[in-house]
């Protein structure tokens, strides 16, 4: 029997170092072997350099999110952006070092790790950063999925899509009771957001994935308290929009 391997799968950190450190501590306490990051290390919150450094220290696989892309491509025009989002991207571009920018710029869009795939958005066109909100979006991605399980982020809402061996795709909306051993079929799983949850719960969200050989795979969503006041103080000090502080308290 191969020894079980446990991964902490984290996504959408969004420059929230308080949330990231709380998640890393929780994952270490649980005894994970490795970390995997699904992108959007920066954007929205005010500790981009700290988060890039922490993720690099973990030495884990990372794929590129849309905010990582915008913040590391100064030529991307922000006219079509919501003003709040645009102002944070401009602030982040000014705040990170050129080495940080280069690191973000060079991240791949997808990666495969020991039999599972990771992407920030969807596998059908990862460079367009589509949102997988429903069964149809998930279906488009499943058509390009070559491993049993693919993890993604981007919407900041944890959820599970499953394609049965008969080819039907459905969403499993209740995340809690669905924790545990994965049944047969393929899975496209959103691990939620570390730094800006949007499912109404302000706690940082991530997922633990355990593999005991290819046939026995299990997941566990975890929610972690962190010092929201400290993250908010940083945002205020940086002069970033107020809306970015209030949403951390409500998880929206
Ligand atoms: Zn995001």
């Amino acid at each position: 029997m191969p020894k079980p391997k446990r991964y902490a799968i984290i996504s959408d950190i969004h420059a929230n170092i308080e949330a990231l450190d709380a998640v890393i501590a929780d994952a270490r306490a649980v005894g994970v072997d490795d970390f995997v990051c699904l992108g959007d290390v920066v954007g929205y919150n005010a500790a981009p350099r700290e988060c890039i450094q922490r993720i690099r220290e973990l030495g884990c696989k990372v794929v590129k999110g849309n905010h990582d892309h915008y913040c590391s491509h100064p030529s991307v025009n922000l006219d079509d952006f919501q003003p709040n989002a645009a102002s944070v991207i401009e602030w982040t571009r000014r705040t990170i070092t050129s080495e940080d920018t280069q690191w973000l710029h060079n991240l791949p869009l997808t990666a495969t790790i020991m039999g599972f795939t990771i992407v920030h958005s969807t596998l059908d066109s990862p460079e367009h950063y589509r949102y997988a909100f429903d069964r149809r979006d998930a279906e488009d991605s499943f058509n390009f999925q070559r491993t049993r399980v693919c993890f993604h982020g981007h919407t900041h809402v944890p959820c599970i899509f499953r394609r049965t061996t008969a080819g039907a795709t459905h969403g499993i909306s209740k995340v809690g009771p669905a924790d545990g051993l994965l049944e047969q079929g393929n899975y496209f799983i959103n691990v939620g957001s570390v730094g800006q949850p949007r499912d109404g719960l302000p706690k940082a969200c991530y997922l633990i994935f355990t593999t005991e050989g290819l046939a026995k795979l299990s997941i566990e969503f975890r929610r972690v308290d962190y010092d929201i006041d400290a993250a908010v103080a940083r945002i205020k000090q940086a002069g970033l929009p107020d809306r970015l502080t209030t949403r951390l308290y409500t998880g929206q």
Side-chain angles (χ1 to χ4, degrees):
M1 274 293 279
K3 192 179 163 285
K5 185 150 177 155
R6 310 183 89 188
Y7 298 90
I9 318 243
I10 61 178
S11 188
D12 295 275
I13 291 110
H14 284 300
N16 187 335
I17 190 67
E18 284 77 18
L20 177 59
D21 280 341
V23 161
I24 292 172
D26 184 75
R28 292 217 161 112
V30 169
V32 299
D33 299 293
D34 218 340
F35 287 81
V36 173
C37 176
L38 312 185
D40 273 3
V41 178
V42 299
Y44 293 127
N45 294 288
R49 294 193 57 188
E50 293 84 346
C51 287
I52 290 172
Q53 191 191 342
R54 197 72 87 251
I55 294 292
R56 293 185 70 178
E57 283 164 3
L58 290 175
C60 63
K61 280 260 200 239
V62 188
V63 288
K64 192 190 287 185
N66 49 323
H67 286 258
D68 305 324
H69 173 80
Y70 305 135
C71 291
S72 63
H73 289 73
S75 59
V76 175
N77 186 296
L78 302 175
D79 289 351
D80 292 337
F81 275 66
Q82 214 228 339
N84 274 353
S87 70
V88 182
I89 290 165
E90 277 159 359
W91 177 85
T92 304
R93 285 174 178 172
R94 291 196 304 272
T95 303
I96 60 178
T97 66
S98 56
E99 200 200 323
D100 293 337
T101 307
Q102 206 53 45
W103 182 77
L104 290 173
H105 186 99
N106 291 339
L107 292 174
L109 288 169
T110 66
T112 303
I113 304 156
M114 301 293 282
F116 63 95
T117 308
I118 58 172
V119 66
H120 185 67
S121 52
T122 61
L123 291 174
D124 48 307
S125 56
E127 72 282 11
H128 292 127
Y129 298 106
R130 289 185 57 200
Y131 289 91
F133 283 119
D134 59 27
R135 192 171 57 80
R136 279 200 198 133
D137 303 326
E139 221 152 62
D140 292 341
S141 189
F142 271 129
N143 291 334
F144 291 81
Q145 187 173 321
R146 301 289 169 259
T147 56
R148 246 196 97 195
V149 179
C150 174
F151 294 102
H152 69 289
H154 199 33
T155 65
H156 299 206
V157 177
C159 69
I160 302 167
F161 294 101
R162 175 174 170 236
R163 180 181 258 185
T164 64
T165 37
T169 297
H170 55 255
I172 304 167
S173 58
K174 283 188 186 156
V175 164
D179 282 4
L181 215 54
L182 297 182
E183 295 168 45
Q184 283 193 327
N186 292 330
Y187 284 83
F188 186 54
I189 299 172
N190 191 313
V191 304
S193 169
V194 169
Q196 195 193 73
R198 292 184 196 155
D199 60 343
L201 285 178
K203 293 181 183 202
C205 183
Y206 79 104
L207 179 139
I208 289 182
F209 179 52
T210 306
T211 66
E212 290 177 66
L214 281 179
K216 207 171 168 196
L217 309 174
S218 61
I219 57 167
E220 180 197 354
F221 283 95
R222 292 186 66 86
R223 302 305 288 244
V224 183
D225 279 313
Y226 74 94
D227 189 347
I228 299 181
D229 291 339
V232 162
R234 270 180 208 274
I235 294 172
K236 289 192 168 149
Q237 205 188 3
L240 297 176
D242 259 354
R243 157 93 180 111
L244 298 172
T245 64
T246 47
R247 69 188 306 174
L248 291 180
Y249 290 109
T250 55
Q252 250 124 36

